[in-house]
Amino acid sequence: MVKVLIPSGALGLGYDREALARGIASQPDIIAIDGGSTDSGPHYLGTGTSKYSRNSTKAEWADLMAARAEAGVPLVIGTAGTCGADDAVDWLVEITREIAAERGERLSLAVLKSGQDGDAMAKALEEGRITPLTPAPEIAADLLCDCTNIVALAGAEQIQAALETGADIVIAGRTTDTAIISALPLARGCHAGGVWHGAKIGECGALATTSPNTGTILIEFDADGFTITPMGKDARATPHTVSAHMLYENSDPYRLYEPGGYLDVTGAQYEALDDRRVRVTGSQWVQTQPYTVKLEGARRVGFQTVSLVFVRDAHYVENIRKWIDDIHAKCTAKASARVDGDFQIELRIIGADATLGALDTHARPGSELGVMGIVTAETEALSREVAKMLNPYLLHHPLTEQEEMPTFAFPFSPPEMPRGAVYEFCLNHVLALADPMDAFRLTTEEVGQ
Amino acid sequence: MTALKDIAEKVRSKNAGPFWLTVDIFCGSEAAFSRISEGLDTAKVAQLFKADPAALKRFDIQDLYVVKFSLPRPAIQGTREDRDMHGASFAVLLSDVQID
């Protein structure tokens, strides 16, 4: 039997300290936590930076390092620094060194990097080793070279290689959410279907229980399946909360594709052991050939500047669409005549249909509306320049020629807010590997004193 | 005719990676599940999201009383056209659908 303690759905999200203490008292074999996700958008992969604050990350990581020392077992983090790019891994390694030094702890650290070289990926594309998943954006060699970061998602095999170094702490770049949980139980021969299923149920921590905010859960893997036990005092796992988690952020509730194969939960049985623990059996792991890993890539697509103005005059609120359409046409014409380079102006009505856009056929405006102007251009300077041309319209543009010049409400000076570079995800593809370690780099070091 | 949100326990939408959107309708009871499962036309759902019906996946999960739809995201997450980074607001479109 292998016990995996999962402190939280992600490092930086917080968790119940008492629940973690109960988890440590349950004598886990490993502590595994996810460090990231694509859910917050392409900026993090594009820039190789973390979504969560350094101070929050450090405080929670220090707690987990202390818990690890107490339990005397390995601590593994996957997708370090939100995106798992090499720079984000280095960021967490630096934080780890600081904590080890402050705690006076000597630790062995294994670092698994997932970053991919654009030229090498262009070559893999040429060799036919990169294949698209539905729906995939079009890619070409130059697009791969254009990415600021490309990462491959490590699976259980690569995490196992990191654990085999005997490291106290494993800091991994991009991994699948499940890999850090599944690696040890698979290495020790637990039921593969049960392992991958339990890993999927556990990847968001206590989200598969009645008290998601407690964070911490323990999953015991064995020869037939797995058992989930929430560590929060009043948290309960039920057959419903556990089976329903297969739906979460998953396009297919019965299948989950991983490096080397897929999980099939069609035949899974969920049994309540008591009022807070659930046992699951009957899940299947199906191996596939060739061994593939998923790729993620982000590239810079321009720079943005945003302006926000509020409209309270009832006549303008009623005619807001006409107002912004007129501004859009006039400002685009003016800017095209006065600047060189590509730009786009977009005006979104905040308080009407800014959330869903054209899909929202039942939008109803209130007494006040905001208008957000977004200028996207190929350079920062051009984006700002066009946004400054947009400003006089947002400030004073009249609906009709025969009226006193109106003035609208700006909450900020200056009204233009630079958003900097903007990025897009540009890969939904898999990369075939002869050996699982081919796309990854594993190093070890001693930290602290 | 009743709005889906007044029959179902909960309707939620989320990203399933940057390229897919998934919408889960938790019906809450066998009766609600039957009514929603039978009353909700897949082509109509595709139309709501302006999606290609062939690309829309539907799962009617009796054990959980859940009807789930997955579709390529209306705009790829984080692109200039995307307005909802986490995809959570799309559930509203389904919530408001009228069921016989």
Side-chain angles (χ1 to χ4, degrees):
Chain A
M1 191 201 289
V2 178
K3 291 192 272 191
V4 181
L5 181 66
I6 301 145
S8 165
L11 184 71
L13 273 185
Y15 47 84
D16 172 352
R17 299 294 199 275
E18 286 179 20
L20 180 69
R22 269 193 288 280
I24 296 301
S26 306
Q27 299 184 305
D29 296 290
I30 189 169
I31 304 170
I33 188 161
D34 186 26
S37 165
T38 56
D39 206 32
S40 297
H43 172 84
Y44 306 100
L45 181 60
T47 54
T49 57
S50 167
K51 176 186 175 188
Y52 295 113
S53 97
R54 193 182 196 278
N55 287 312
S56 292
T57 302
K58 187 175 174 182
E60 291 183 22
W61 191 233
D63 271 359
L64 293 184
M65 284 172 62
R68 185 219 71 80
E70 193 185 336
V73 297
L75 168 65
V76 184
I77 183 164
T79 314
T82 307
C83 60
D86 293 354
D87 286 347
V89 171
D90 290 338
W91 177 79
L92 190 65
V93 168
E94 185 190 285
I95 290 172
T96 309
R97 287 191 193 119
E98 274 177 28
I99 298 168
E102 284 162 16
R103 284 172 47 84
E105 204 178 3
R106 180 103 183 137
L107 293 163
S108 60
L109 189 65
V111 178
L112 179 78
K113 287 196 171 170
S114 305
Q116 306 301 314
D117 176 64
D119 291 335
M121 289 299 98
K123 188 160 174 284
L125 180 70
E126 202 175 287
E127 292 165 358
R129 289 197 294 121
I130 295 181
T131 25
L133 300 169
T134 309
E138 298 234 343
I139 57 158
D142 55 349
L143 184 144
L144 287 162
C145 297
D146 218 22
C147 285
T148 52
N149 276 305
I150 300 174
V151 287
L153 278 70
E157 293 82 359
Q158 298 83 357
I159 299 294
Q160 283 165 354
L163 287 172
E164 278 164 17
T165 65
D168 299 308
I169 295 178
V170 174
I171 297 179
R174 189 69 170 119
T175 67
T176 68
D177 293 346
T178 45
I180 48 166
I181 302 171
S182 62
L184 187 67
L186 284 174
R188 296 208 184 148
C190 297
H191 186 270
V195 169
W196 285 107
H197 193 178
K200 166 64 188 166
I201 298 307
E203 52 116 349
C204 291
L207 210 57
T209 75
T210 56
S211 303
N213 291 332
T214 54
T216 313
I217 55 167
L218 185 79
I219 301 194
E220 295 165 70
F221 297 95
D222 55 43
D224 305 304
F226 71 93
T227 302
I228 171 172
T229 309
M231 293 292 112
K233 193 159 161 279
D234 300 316
R236 297 189 307 119
T238 69
H240 184 86
T241 64
V242 174
S243 59
H245 193 69
M246 274 308 290
L247 305 173
Y248 190 69
E249 293 182 342
N250 196 8
S251 64
D252 185 327
Y254 301 112
R255 279 189 180 192
L256 185 71
Y257 285 87
E258 290 286 340
Y262 65 88
L263 164 71
D264 182 345
V265 303
T266 319
Q269 306 282 318
Y270 302 82
E271 179 197 353
L273 291 183
D274 49 39
D275 66 352
R276 52 196 313 268
R277 293 182 305 148
V278 172
R279 175 157 178 75
V280 183
T281 51
S283 333
Q284 293 303 315
W285 171 252
V286 183
Q287 269 192 338
T288 52
Q289 289 290 340
Y291 184 90
T292 58
V293 287
K294 200 172 165 190
L295 295 174
E296 284 170 359
R299 64 178 175 137
R300 204 175 72 197
V301 288
F303 294 82
Q304 274 183 348
T305 304
V306 169
S307 295
L308 191 60
V309 67
F310 297 110
V311 177
R312 183 64 180 80
D313 180 314
H315 181 58
Y316 280 80
V317 168
E318 277 163 31
N319 294 284
I320 196 77
R321 182 78 55 198
K322 186 178 168 215
W323 190 66
I324 65 163
D325 286 350
D326 199 33
I327 290 175
H328 188 269
K330 288 187 168 131
C331 188
T332 301
K334 182 183 281 181
S336 298
R338 293 181 181 179
V339 302
D340 290 324
D342 282 341
F343 66 89
Q344 292 97 28
I345 299 171
E346 192 186 352
L347 296 165
R348 292 188 192 168
I349 304 168
I350 312 294
D353 59 2
T355 314
L356 291 165
L359 293 175
D360 201 341
T361 50
H362 301 295
R364 290 181 303 273
S367 55
E368 167 191 280
L369 291 170
V371 173
M372 180 163 66
I374 307 167
V375 178
T376 312
E378 56 194 15
T379 65
E380 175 101 59
L382 182 59
S383 160
R384 191 183 302 240
E385 180 73 3
V386 175
K388 281 175 184 274
M389 287 184 189
L390 179 62
N391 179 264
Y393 291 100
L394 297 180
L395 181 61
H396 288 315
H397 187 65
L399 270 168
T400 59
E401 293 299 324
Q402 284 72 43
E403 65 180 290
E404 193 184 332
M405 189 174 72
T407 302
F408 302 97
F410 282 91
F412 308 118
S413 169
E416 295 86 16
M417 295 171 268
R419 292 230 314 109
V422 287
Y423 297 85
E424 276 181 9
F425 286 119
C426 49
L427 292 174
N428 193 26
H429 295 72
V430 291
L431 169 70
L433 298 176
D435 181 289
M437 289 305 288
D438 279 355
F440 300 88
R441 290 161 342 271
L442 180 62
T443 54
T444 55
E445 63 180 276
E446 296 286 314
V447 298
Q449 53 212 334
Chain B
M1 296 283 269
T2 315
L4 176 66
K5 65 183 171 209
D6 296 323
I7 307 171
E9 198 173 79
K10 184 183 174 185
V11 186
R12 75 174 179 200
S13 62
K14 276 294 275 175
N15 296 332
F19 302 95
W20 283 86
L21 179 74
T22 191
V23 193
D24 302 329
I25 305 167
F26 290 88
C27 304
S29 70
E30 188 166 8
F33 175 75
S34 301
R35 190 169 169 201
I36 292 167
S37 180
E38 285 159 24
L40 198 54
D41 178 47
T42 307
K44 192 173 168 185
V45 175
Q47 201 187 347
L48 272 183
F49 292 101
K50 299 196 193 320
D52 173 8
L56 184 107
K57 297 195 264 186
R58 173 176 179 152
F59 304 92
D60 290 74
I61 308 165
Q62 170 87 36
D63 291 351
L64 289 169
Y65 302 142
V66 164
V67 181
K68 181 181 181 78
F69 293 94
S70 296
L71 60 146
R73 240 173 161 284
I76 292 173
Q77 184 199 10
T79 50
R80 199 168 59 78
E81 295 76 23
D82 182 31
R83 291 160 173 248
D84 181 5
M85 198 63 63
H86 296 258
S89 299
F90 291 98
V92 173
L93 293 172
L94 259 188
S95 299
D96 290 341
V97 165
Q98 298 291 316
I99 306 280
D100 285 335

